[in-house]
Amino acid sequence: KEIKVPDEIPGQTYDFESKGVEGWTTVDGQWTVEDMAGAPSGKRVLVQRAVKNDFNVIVAPPGPYSDVDVSMKFKPMSGREDASGGIVCRVNDGKYYVIRANALEDNFRLYAYDRGRRQLASARVKVPALGQWHSLRVVAVGDHIQGWLNGALLLDHRDARFQSGRVGL
């Protein structure tokens, strides 16, 4: 059953068409806003270009949040070891949850990160195709976390270790 964020929580949209990554915090990676043909919401997208980092993360400006419903579209472009897209939530003091789909593996996973990554839940999926857009969504209400890939609920997990924080990619 789909969990929902309370109705009184205001929404926030990030638009890379008119604004870059000003106000965002780069944890690791090489993040830029670039023009891309076929972008799902216009012409400009956020792109991560680093190839030697383990975990590339960028965090949005406001927060902290406890209950969240975050969605985005991603297009894995290339990679030899990893080509993934993901959402981080409850980012606080270097700790966070991350839900991600990897185009080089047949998995969709939820991790807790605290000076190292710990897998909490995993689903086997058809590999998200390189060069194609995919939708990703995470809903976290209290200790209940759900992960959606291309509109399908694939992960439904409970974990109470992180209560609130910022969101990002």
Side-chain angles (χ1 to χ4, degrees), residues 68-94:
V68 296
D69 186 337
V70 181
S71 59
M72 62 94 154
K73 293 189 184 292
F74 73 101
K75 179 169 92 169
M77 296 187 293
S78 66
R80 287 190 302 273
E81 293 181 24
D82 197 8
S84 62
I87 296 172
V88 294
C89 67
R90 297 183 176 169
V91 180
N92 189 1
D93 196 27

Side-chain angles (χ1 to χ4, degrees), residues 99-101 107-110 121-123 125 136 147-149 154-155:
I99 195 155
R100 62 179 230 151
N107 63 51
F108 180 59
R109 292 187 172 154
L110 169 66
S122 183
V125 296
L136 184 62
W148 304 73
L149 179 62
L154 299 175
L155 299 176

Side-chain angles (χ1 to χ4, degrees), residues 17 34-45:
E17 290 300 314
E34 302 176 8
D35 289 340
M36 183 175 288
S41 60
K43 294 188 292 190
R44 298 177 61 76
V45 297

Side-chain angles (χ1 to χ4, degrees), residues 10-154:
Q12 174 73 43
T13 301
Y14 299 100
D15 175 13
F16 296 109
E17 290 300 314
S18 58
K19 191 175 173 185
V21 291
E22 298 85 29
W24 289 66
T25 304
T26 298
V27 176
D28 211 349
Q30 181 184 338
W31 298 86
T32 61
V33 174
E34 302 176 8
D35 289 340
M36 183 175 288
S41 60
K43 294 188 292 190
R44 298 177 61 76
V45 297
L46 180 64
V47 177
Q48 195 296 119
R49 296 267 181 209
V51 295
K52 298 192 186 294
N53 303 323
D54 288 333
F55 311 116
N56 297 298
V57 174
I58 190 167
V59 181
Y65 304 106
S66 52
D67 296 340
V68 296
D69 186 337
V70 181
S71 59
M72 62 94 154
K73 293 189 184 292
F74 73 101
K75 179 169 92 169
M77 296 187 293
S78 66
R80 287 190 302 273
E81 293 181 24
D82 197 8
S84 62
I87 296 172
V88 294
C89 67
R90 297 183 176 169
V91 180
N92 189 1
D93 196 27
K95 302 172 187 175
Y96 53 84
Y97 293 111
V98 60
I99 195 155
R100 62 179 230 151
N102 190 334
L104 301 182
E105 301 171 3
D106 56 352
N107 63 51
F108 180 59
R109 292 187 172 154
L110 169 66
Y111 297 94
Y113 184 86
D114 180 1
R115 293 177 293 281
R117 204 168 57 175
R118 179 165 177 246
Q119 183 177 311
L120 301 177
S122 183
R124 293 184 63 81
V125 296
K126 181 178 179 228
V127 177
L130 286 172
Q132 293 182 18
W133 289 99
H134 304 277
S135 63
L136 184 62
R137 178 179 174 214
V138 62
V139 182
V141 177
D143 71 344
H144 200 170
I145 304 167
Q146 291 184 331
W148 304 73
L149 179 62
N150 294 326
L153 173 62
L154 299 175

